[in-house]
Each structure stands twice: as structure tokens, then as C-alpha cells.
């Protein structure tokens, strides 16, 4: 068995010369454990080619998937949060914001942009879960409100992509006011007969579900998304009963009449431009 024996002695390879697969080249699906190339996964709109699990993605990825040639213009890019309550938990709120900005490269949990989707002008606000759990504070509310203003002014349909744990605790009452503010703005959109599509993604909960996310002319969702107001544990403790199977999944919510349809992310772009074109013809 001489081939098992090293003929040369004392070979050592410094760590930096060791060949390894570069990080991030492969993606493993957390649902079915199937492994695909990161590029293939990305081309598949970040869904698993085997089990269709929709990976959680941020605003940048959604904008790239949706807009023609990935081109769009961002509104109010540099809006950042104040600290109206001088809030301190384990950290002071401004320090938490600063650390999150540095970590994520985002300014807050929502971005508003406009551009063309299959040639149709759209204004889109999209939430980022990586920024303090996609929590809705004053900046999120203001960016959505201004997005709606933009849609009104330029008569473009408005798309809201929600992904949120709910209200931002560090802004307490100011955070809750965003529910009323965004809802009032959406009423103006409705009066002007401009379509509003609300896309709920995994997860959409709390104050976001209780306001703009459920006010769409069409409320649609990605498959398998968690959609609810309070979490299942809280509800179970409150009603003292076991919850039905699949409770709070997009499929369950659709079955109970709170959604219009579920859309596969790979079809999202075409579905959006098609429904909006239909709605605008008939308005
Ligand atoms: Zn999978």
C-alpha cells in the first residue's frame, strides 16, 4: 500500500495556500437541505429549485428581481431616525441605529423607489427585516407616506412589500402613529383610483399586518410566509387551546379569505404588471 505513504517528509502548507471552496459559492436550503450553486439560487429568484422554499431576501434583491434591467431610482435615500423618546434599553436607541446602519448598510427598515416593471411605471416601498427586525418606526411610516405621495403625483400604481416583526418598541407611540398615517395616505390613493398592491412576505406581523399590509386593493403573499398579528405562542396562551395545523401560514390565511392570491416569486414580476394593467384599464 505504498500510495498511502508520503515519500517526502515534512511537507507543510501554510494556511493561506490551502485550497478551499470559496465561501458563499453554495446555498443549502433550510427546508429540504438540497444544495445548489449560489448563482443558480439567485437566478431562481432565491427560491429552492427542489422544494420551492422562498428564502428571506431584502429590498435590494426584490428591486433587482422586479425592475426592468434592475434599474430604479430611490427616494429619500438618507432619511434616518431621530430619538424622540430618549429611549435606552441594553443600548441607547441612537447607538443601536448607528450600529445597525454600519452592519446592514441600510438607513432604516424601509426603502422607497420607482421604476418600470415590464414597462409599467411603479412606485415600490420594500421593508428590510435585517434592520431591527423590519420594525415600523417613524422613518418607515414617512418613507411609505412619501412613496404614496409619489404614486399619487405621478399616477403610478403603488406596491408595498412588507416583512416586519411589527412596531418599533424604541419609538413606542410614534411607531403606532405610523399605522394611522399610512392608512390615511392609502385612502387618498383609493380616492384617486390608483391601484395599491400589498405583498406580504415572510414574516408579516404586528402593527404592519394591522395597517397598510392588509389594506391593498389586492393583498397577495409569497408561499409559506408567516402572516399574523400576535405570534402563535401568545394566541395559544390567551385562548388556552391548541392551534390548527398550518396556522398563520400564507396558505391558511388565503383559505380563510384574508388574501387574494399567493404568488411564486419567480412569477411576481409578470403577475404584478399584468394585474395592474388590468386594474388601470378598468378604472
Ligand atoms: Zn428546498
Amino acid at each position: 500500500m505504498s500510495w498511502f505513504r508520503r515519500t517526502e517528509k515534512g511537507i507543510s502548507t501554510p494556511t493561506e495556500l490551502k485550497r478551499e471552496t470559496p465561501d458563499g459559492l453554495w446555498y443549502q436550503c433550510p427546508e429540504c437541505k438540497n444544495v445548489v450553486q449560489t448563482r443558480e439560487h439567485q437566478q431562481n429568484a432565491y427560491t429552492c429549485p427542489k422544494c420551492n422554499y422562498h428564502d428571506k431576501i431584502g429590498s435590494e434583491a426584490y428591486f433587482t428581481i422586479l425592475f426592468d434591467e434592475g434599474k430604479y431610482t430611490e427616494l429619500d435615500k438618507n432619511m434616518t431616525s431621530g430619538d424622540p423618546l430618549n429611549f435606552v434599553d441594553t443600548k441607547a436607541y441612537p447607538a443601536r441605529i448607528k450600529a445597525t446602519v454600519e452592519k446592514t448598510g441600510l438607513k432604516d427598515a424601509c426603502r422607497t423607489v420607482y421604476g418600470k416593471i415590464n414597462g409599467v411605471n411603479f412606485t415600490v416601498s420594500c421593508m428590510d427585516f435585517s434592520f431591527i427586525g423590519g420594525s415600523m418606526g417613524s422613518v418607515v411610516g414617512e418613507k411609505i407616506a412619501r412613496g404614496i405621495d409619489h404614486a399619487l403625483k405621478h399616477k403610478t400604481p403603488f406596491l408595498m412589500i412588507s416583512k416586519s416583526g411589527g412596531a418599533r418598541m424604541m419609538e413606542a407611540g410614534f411607531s403606532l402613529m405610523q399605522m394611522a398615517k399610512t392608512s390615511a395616505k392609502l385612502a387618498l390613493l383609493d380616492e384617486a383610483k390608483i391601484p395599491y398592491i400589498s405583498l406580504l412576505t415572510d414574516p408579516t406581523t404586528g402593527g404592519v399586518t394591522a395597517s397598510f399590509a392588509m389594506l391593498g386593493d389586492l393583498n397577495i403573499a409569497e408561499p409559506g410566509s408567516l402572516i399574523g398579528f400576535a405570534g402563535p405562542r401568545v394566541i395559544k396562551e390567551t385562548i388556552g387551546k391548541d392551534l390548527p395545523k398550518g396556522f398563520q401560514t400564507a396558505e391558511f390565511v388565503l383559505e380563510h379569505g384574508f388574501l387574494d392570491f399567493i404568488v411564486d416569486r419567480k412569477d411576481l414580476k409578470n403577475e404584478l404588471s399584468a394585474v395592474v394593467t388590468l386594474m388601470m384599464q378598468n378604472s
Side-chain angles (χ1 to χ4, degrees):
M1 305 292 270
S2 61
W3 55 85
F4 277 164
R5 227 167 272 139
R6 269 191 175 169
T7 49
E8 283 179 55
K9 298 260 191 260
I11 297 174
S12 67
T13 314
T15 316
E16 61 267 24
L17 292 182
K18 285 183 181 160
R19 302 223 167 151
E20 275 178 34
T21 320
D23 272 349
L25 200 59
W26 300 96
Y27 167 84
Q28 188 179 34
C29 171
E31 275 299 304
C32 73
K33 311 293 175 212
N34 183 43
V35 174
V36 282
Q37 276 199 325
T38 307
R39 194 192 307 162
E40 193 193 333
H41 185 241
Q42 189 182 343
Q43 282 164 353
N44 216 27
Y46 304 90
T47 63
C48 174
K50 199 172 164 201
C51 73
N52 204 27
Y53 170 76
H54 281 48
D55 198 14
K56 295 182 176 73
I57 56 171
S59 57
E60 190 68 38
Y62 275 109
F63 296 154
T64 309
I65 290 168
L66 288 177
F67 288 109
D68 299 350
E69 291 128 32
K71 277 197 284 189
Y72 56 87
T73 312
E74 186 166 355
L75 299 166
D76 307 302
K77 226 176 180 169
N78 294 314
M79 193 189 292
T80 51
S81 184
D83 183 18
L85 303 174
N86 299 317
F87 194 91
V88 181
D89 49 276
T90 52
K91 260 186 201 175
Y93 183 40
R96 186 176 296 282
I97 292 278
K98 194 166 168 269
T100 314
V101 168
E102 275 162 20
K103 200 176 96 194
T104 60
L106 298 160
K107 293 278 161 58
D108 211 289
C110 180
R111 289 167 73 203
T112 297
V113 302
Y114 63 91
K116 283 185 192 298
I117 297 177
N118 286 331
V120 184
N121 284 313
F122 258 92
T123 310
V124 183
S125 289
C126 181
M127 302 188 77
D128 277 293
F129 199 79
S130 59
F131 200 99
I132 319 184
S135 52
M136 172 186 54
S138 318
V139 173
V140 169
E142 185 62 20
K143 281 202 176 178
I144 295 170
R146 291 193 193 188
I148 297 168
D149 283 341
H150 183 270
L152 272 168
K153 190 172 167 205
H154 300 275
K155 300 206 174 344
T156 77
F158 182 65
L159 168 68
M160 180 73 224
I161 304 175
S162 296
K163 187 185 283 292
S164 174
R168 186 170 297 171
M169 144 186 116
M170 303 84 169
E171 293 188 29
F174 288 90
S175 174
L176 298 181
M177 283 176 207
Q178 309 311 313
M179 297 165 70
K181 179 161 95 182
T182 50
S183 305
K185 281 283 179 193
L186 286 170
L188 298 179
L189 212 55
D190 183 53
E191 252 170 47
K193 295 198 186 324
I194 293 172
Y196 167 43
I197 316 284
S198 174
L199 173 67
L200 292 83
T201 71
D202 189 37
T204 300
T205 60
V208 168
T209 315
S211 61
F212 54 84
M214 280 296 185
L215 291 173
D217 295 314
L218 289 173
N219 297 324
I220 63 180
E222 287 187 343
S225 308
L226 173 84
I227 298 167
F229 181 64
R233 191 176 47 84
V234 175
I235 300 175
K236 200 177 156 183
E237 281 169 10
T238 309
I239 62 171
K241 274 186 195 168
D242 280 332
L243 298 166
K245 200 169 166 280
F247 181 67
Q248 290 187 327
T249 59
E251 291 71 12
F252 185 93
V253 178
L254 174 76
E255 174 118 8
H256 290 80
F258 290 95
L259 288 175
D260 293 293
F261 58 89
I262 290 174
V263 60
D264 191 300
R265 197 184 289 149
K266 295 181 285 299
D267 306 326
L268 181 60
K269 180 172 175 158
N270 290 340
E271 293 265 354
L272 280 173
S273 57
V275 292
V276 152
T277 307
L278 261 176
M279 288 162 98
M280 305 259 267
Q281 273 167 1
N282 293 320
S283 68

